[in-house]
């Protein structure tokens, strides 16, 4: 997952790092022609993004590492499938998401005169914070991908979700407008109803 970027106090853009989450859910498919079908699903997915470690000076050396946003969504994908050959499909559609969880976590230390007594101490600055109010709850994206169903009823599905909705609730100085960009790989069991 890739959710955005921001600038350090000196104006340097902080590089993003991809993070790994999980997805669980189900999907129902209706085959209305030999090569075409439509499917709708309901999933819960975790989406997170990290940033590179960095240090900067602010009346003392501040070191920050292991930064990440960890988001949880309930998503409803609706996709059209075109079967190129038996078992292999390309797909595209629309996906509606609703954020139910959002945590920002980071670990940092600062070499500062935190007490004002002239003694520099290394202090812990960060932890985990609920940042749900900083993000928009609704998320709209376009999923595109491919899938393959084996002779046994096992299907592998790979999708890339192109985010259309700006995540930020407001625009802050140094924070880029970000959108969800998510790659998912799922393995499922397919059966007839």
């Amino acid at each position: 997952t890739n959710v955005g970027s921001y600038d350090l106090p000196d104006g340097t853009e902080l590089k993003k790092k991809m993070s790994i989450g999980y997805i669980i859910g189900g999907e129902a498919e209706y085959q209305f022609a030999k090569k075409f079908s439509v499917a709708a699903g309901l999933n819960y997915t975790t989406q997170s993004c990290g940033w590179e470690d960095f240090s900067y000076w602010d009346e003392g050396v501040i070191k920050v590492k292991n930064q990440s946003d960890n988001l949880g969504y309930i998503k409803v994908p609706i996709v059209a499938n075109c079967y190129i050959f038996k078992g292999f499909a390309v797909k595209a559609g629309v996906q509606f998401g609703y954020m139910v969880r959002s945590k920002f976590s980071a670990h940092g230390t600062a070499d500062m005169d935190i007490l004002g007594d002239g003694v520099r101490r290394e202090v812990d600055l960060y932890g985990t914070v609920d940042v749900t109010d900083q993000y928009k709850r609704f998320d709209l994206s376009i999923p595109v991908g491919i899938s393959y169903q084996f002779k046994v009823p096992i299907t592998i599905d790979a999708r890339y979700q192109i985010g259309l909705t700006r995540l930020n609730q407001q625009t802050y100085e140094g924070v880029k407008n970000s959108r969800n960009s998510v790659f998912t790989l799922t393995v499922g069991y397919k059966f007839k109803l």
Side-chain angles (χ1 to χ4, degrees):
T1 304
N2 180 358
V3 298
S5 63
Y6 64 89
D7 295 340
L8 298 181
D10 65 2
T12 305
E13 183 174 329
L14 202 59
K15 293 181 181 177
K16 298 164 282 190
K17 298 190 300 185
M18 184 178 69
S19 298
I20 296 175
Y22 66 87
I23 180 172
I24 186 169
E27 196 168 85
E29 180 180 8
Y30 176 69
Q31 193 87 30
F32 61 86
K34 185 176 180 179
K35 293 197 172 188
F36 298 98
S37 71
V38 64
L42 179 64
N43 304 315
Y44 177 77
T45 178
T46 59
Q47 299 176 191
S48 60
C49 181
W51 292 272
E52 66 179 344
D53 298 347
F54 69 93
S55 299
Y56 68 95
W57 175 267
D58 184 12
E59 298 183 10
V61 177
I62 297 177
K63 299 177 183 177
V64 182
K65 61 182 180 178
N66 300 328
Q67 290 188 95
S68 64
D69 267 332
N70 301 286
L71 315 177
Y73 284 90
I74 293 174
K75 295 199 170 183
V76 178
I78 302 171
V79 295
N81 300 295
C82 176
Y83 286 88
I84 305 301
F85 56 84
K86 188 172 178 61
F88 180 82
V90 295
K91 57 189 67 201
V94 63
Q95 182 170 256
F96 307 96
Y98 184 78
M99 182 189 293
V100 293
R101 178 183 181 274
S102 178
K103 300 282 185 183
F104 174 80
S105 62
H107 300 283
T109 59
D111 176 24
M112 300 177 70
D113 179 9
I114 195 75
L115 300 178
D117 59 4
V119 179
R120 291 191 174 276
R121 299 173 175 85
E122 187 174 274
V123 294
D124 188 12
L125 294 179
Y126 298 91
T128 300
V129 181
D130 188 314
V131 291
T132 305
D133 61 341
Q134 295 184 21
Y135 289 112
K136 293 183 176 180
R137 291 292 188 115
F138 178 74
D139 182 59
L140 180 66
S141 60
I142 297 176
V144 294
I146 58 173
S147 65
Y148 183 75
Q149 181 181 337
F150 296 91
K151 290 183 180 179
V152 293
I154 300 295
T155 301
I156 293 180
D157 188 302
R159 298 182 193 181
Y160 180 68
Q161 300 167 22
I162 304 165
L164 300 179
T165 309
R166 188 186 79 186
L167 285 175
N168 310 61
Q169 190 70 258
Q170 298 177 358
T171 302
Y172 299 97
E173 183 179 352
V175 178
K176 305 292 190 297
N177 288 334
S178 56
R179 291 173 171 78
N180 278 315
S181 298
V182 183
F183 175 78
T184 60
L185 181 65
T186 59
V187 178
Y189 180 81
K190 192 172 184 178
F191 58 91
K192 291 184 179 181
L193 294 177

